[in-house]
Amino acid sequence: MSEQNWMAVELKNVVVVKPHGELDMNNSFQFKSFVKDTYINAGKSNVILDLSEVEYMDSSALGVLLGLQRAARLNGGSLVLCGLHENLARILKITSLEGVFKIYPTIEEALKFFLEGA
C-alpha cells in the first residue's frame, strides 16, 4: 500500500485524524509515525482518531492505537476514538480494549471532550 490512506485536520487544540480502508501490518506503523511525528511529538497531543471509514483493523493496528494513546498521554494530551463500526467495536470488546480507550459515536461528541473539558 504505497498511498497515504488517511487525512488530518487541526481544530483549535485538537487534531482529527481520519484513516480509511484498512489499518494493518502493511500500513499501521507508517500511520503511527505520521501521527506521532507530525502531531504528538510536535506538541499537538490531543488527538481524535475517526475510524468511521476503517473497514478492517488487525492486531498490529491495535498495538499502534495503544502506542499512540501512550505517546499522547506522555506528552500531556489524550487520544480518543470515534465512529467505530460494529465490527471494530466488537474487536475492541473481544480484546478487552474497549475500557482502555475513550470512545465516542461522532467527531462532534469527541470534540466536546476536549473543548468542554468533559
Side-chain angles (χ1 to χ4, degrees):
M1 195 172 291
S2 59
E3 67 182 68
Q4 182 175 305
N5 289 333
W6 50 82
M7 57 176 260
V9 62
E10 294 181 49
L11 302 169
K12 301 196 181 210
N13 67 333
V14 181
V15 177
V16 179
V17 182
K18 186 172 189 172
H20 60 89
E22 298 181 355
L23 273 178
D24 58 22
M25 64 184 218
N26 292 318
N27 63 5
S28 61
F29 297 106
Q30 182 184 9
F31 176 72
K32 179 181 180 181
S33 294
F34 167 75
V35 175
K36 197 171 174 187
D37 297 344
T38 307
Y39 298 106
I40 296 174
N41 290 343
K44 298 169 184 169
S45 56
N46 288 329
V47 179
I48 296 171
L49 293 184
D50 177 0
L51 301 176
S52 61
E53 293 184 10
V54 173
E55 300 161 3
Y56 173 79
M57 183 182 296
D58 70 6
S59 59
S60 68
L62 292 176
V64 162
L65 295 183
L66 289 167
L68 289 173
Q69 180 188 53
R70 185 175 192 279
R73 284 184 179 162
L74 289 173
N75 283 280
S78 294
L79 177 132
V80 301
L81 308 178
C82 72
L84 275 71
H85 291 291
E86 185 178 328
N87 60 338
L88 294 183
R90 187 172 50 246
I91 289 169
L92 290 179
K93 184 173 185 168
I94 289 169
T95 58
S96 300
L97 292 175
E98 67 182 350
V100 173
F101 294 100
K102 290 192 183 307
I103 302 171
Y104 296 93
T106 65
I107 291 176
E108 292 78 17
E109 290 179 64
L111 274 171
K112 285 181 187 178
F113 168 78
F114 290 110
L115 300 180
E116 297 175 4

